[in-house]
């Protein structure tokens, strides 16, 4: 019967979900993504996570760096990330159109100069794995949430996400302690090749350019400009391996 068939499909889907669950534990930081096909639709499933928003301090950023480093060691994930640098490139002119004319051309110059980041080594990436997309459990562990853009992509996009958007405030303060803790922990878990290390700033700039209109555009542009002018300072927190 149709009911029996639906029940069988549900049981099969439940078994597939159980079989494909991946729970990673690394120095108190947990990641619990599950990916499966449910009626030919890619579906991400997570446990309900109790807890609170983690404080943006060096200790939590160190735990986050370890977790992301472990995530980026996974190279056999079968589904591509929903976003890549090449997929966003055609949309930079659309973003520029809504920016103030005073820095529209400079914005496009930075966007056009982005290198081929997608050609770098690939792995499973979260794409926005920040403390803002994490929950701190009552036991102190940190769980990554918001996996809707996750998939296989250039690994450097994950550690690159933080350098400008997370460690440089819109008031142009640079959180050196948290940045050092994050990149040190990440590098201990997953070594960056020299080419990847050189691309960290460009990966971070990609994220910052993409998100410039999601908030106070003027402040976000000032942060981008300041970061470009202080590239050497920012890159000093990314260790060589």
């Amino acid at each position: 019967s149709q009911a029996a068939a639906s029940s069988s499909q549900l049981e099969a889907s439940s078994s597939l979900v159980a079989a494909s669950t991946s729970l990673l534990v690394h120095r108190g930081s947990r990641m619990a993504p599950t990916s499966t096909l449910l009626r030919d639709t890619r579906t991400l499933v997570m446990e309900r996570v109790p807890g609170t928003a983690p404080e943006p301090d060096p200790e939590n950023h160190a735990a986050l760096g370890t977790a992301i480093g472990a995530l980026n060691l996974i190279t056999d994930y079968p589904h591509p990330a929903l976003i890549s640098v090449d997929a966003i490139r055609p949309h930079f002119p659309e973003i520029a159109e809504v920016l103030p004319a005073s820095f529209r051309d400079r914005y496009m110059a930075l966007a056009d100069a982005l290198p081929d980041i997608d050609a770098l080594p690939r792995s499973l990436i979260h794409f926005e794995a920040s403390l803002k997309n994490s929950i701190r459990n009552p036991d102190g562990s940190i769980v990554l949430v918001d996996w809707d853009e996750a998939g296989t992509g250039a690994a450097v996009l994950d550690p690159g996400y933080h350098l400008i958007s997370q460690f440089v405030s819109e008031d142009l303060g640079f959180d050196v302690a948290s940045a050092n803790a994050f990149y040190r922990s990440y590098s201990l878990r997953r070594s960056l090749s020299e080419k990847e290390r050189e691309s960290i700033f460009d990966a971070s700039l990609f994220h910052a350019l993409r998100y410039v209109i999601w908030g106070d555009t003027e402040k976000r542009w000032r942060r981008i400009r300041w970061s470009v002018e202080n590239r050497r300072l920012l890159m000093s927190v990314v260790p060589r391996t």
Side-chain angles (χ1 to χ4, degrees):
S1 68
Q2 184 176 0
S6 297
S7 177
S8 297
Q9 288 178 344
L10 182 58
E11 290 177 4
S13 297
S14 297
S15 298
L16 186 56
V17 168
S20 63
T21 297
S22 174
L23 180 62
L24 308 177
V25 182
H26 298 283
R27 295 187 184 180
S29 301
R30 284 198 306 162
M31 301 173 288
T34 301
S35 180
T36 186
L37 288 178
L38 184 60
R39 296 180 181 177
D40 297 323
T41 301
R42 180 187 171 196
T43 305
L44 292 175
V45 182
M46 279 194 66
E47 64 180 293
R48 185 181 181 278
V49 183
T52 58
E55 292 295 322
D57 55 34
E59 179 182 359
N60 285 332
H61 274 114
L64 183 65
T66 299
I68 298 174
L71 180 70
N72 293 161
L73 288 173
I74 300 172
T75 58
D76 58 353
Y77 187 74
H79 305 292
L82 297 183
I83 296 176
S84 66
V85 177
D86 285 345
I88 297 299
R89 284 187 196 275
H91 299 286
F92 282 130
E94 300 170 14
I95 297 173
E97 282 299 314
V98 300
L99 296 177
S102 59
F103 58 81
R104 188 178 300 151
D105 289 345
R106 178 58 175 154
Y107 172 91
M108 280 306 306
L110 291 174
D112 289 340
L114 288 173
D116 188 7
I117 295 171
D118 291 333
L120 293 171
R122 299 170 67 79
S123 72
L124 176 59
I125 61 174
H126 181 285
F127 202 82
E128 293 181 337
S130 68
L131 290 179
K132 294 178 181 178
N133 283 332
S134 306
I135 294 177
R136 187 177 183 87
N137 269 343
D139 65 5
S141 62
I142 291 179
V143 183
L144 297 175
V145 298
D146 194 9
W147 291 83
D148 56 297
E149 295 178 343
T152 297
V156 74
L157 288 171
D158 266 356
Y161 176 69
H162 297 76
L163 189 59
I164 296 175
S165 297
Q166 302 302 307
F167 296 134
V168 179
S169 71
E170 292 185 355
D171 295 326
L172 308 185
F174 182 34
D175 187 353
V176 176
S178 290
N180 272 320
F182 173 83
Y183 285 109
R184 187 185 309 115
S185 295
Y186 181 93
S187 297
L188 287 172
R189 194 67 182 88
R190 177 185 180 272
S191 296
L192 290 165
S193 69
E194 187 58 28
K195 183 64 174 178
E196 285 181 306
R197 184 188 180 278
E198 292 174 358
S199 300
I200 285 283
F201 184 87
D202 290 318
S204 190
L205 183 59
F206 161 72
H207 287 291
L209 292 171
R210 178 176 175 239
Y211 290 124
V212 68
I213 57 175
W214 294 14
D216 189 321
T217 300
E218 296 279 356
K219 284 187 176 181
R220 293 195 169 199
W221 173 248
R222 284 197 298 271
R223 177 170 64 182
I224 290 172
R225 188 178 61 189
W226 182 90
S227 297
V228 170
E229 293 170 353
N230 291 275
R231 176 172 182 152
R232 181 172 295 183
L233 170 64
L234 268 60
M235 283 299 298
S236 68
V237 303
V238 184
R240 295 182 182 276
T241 55

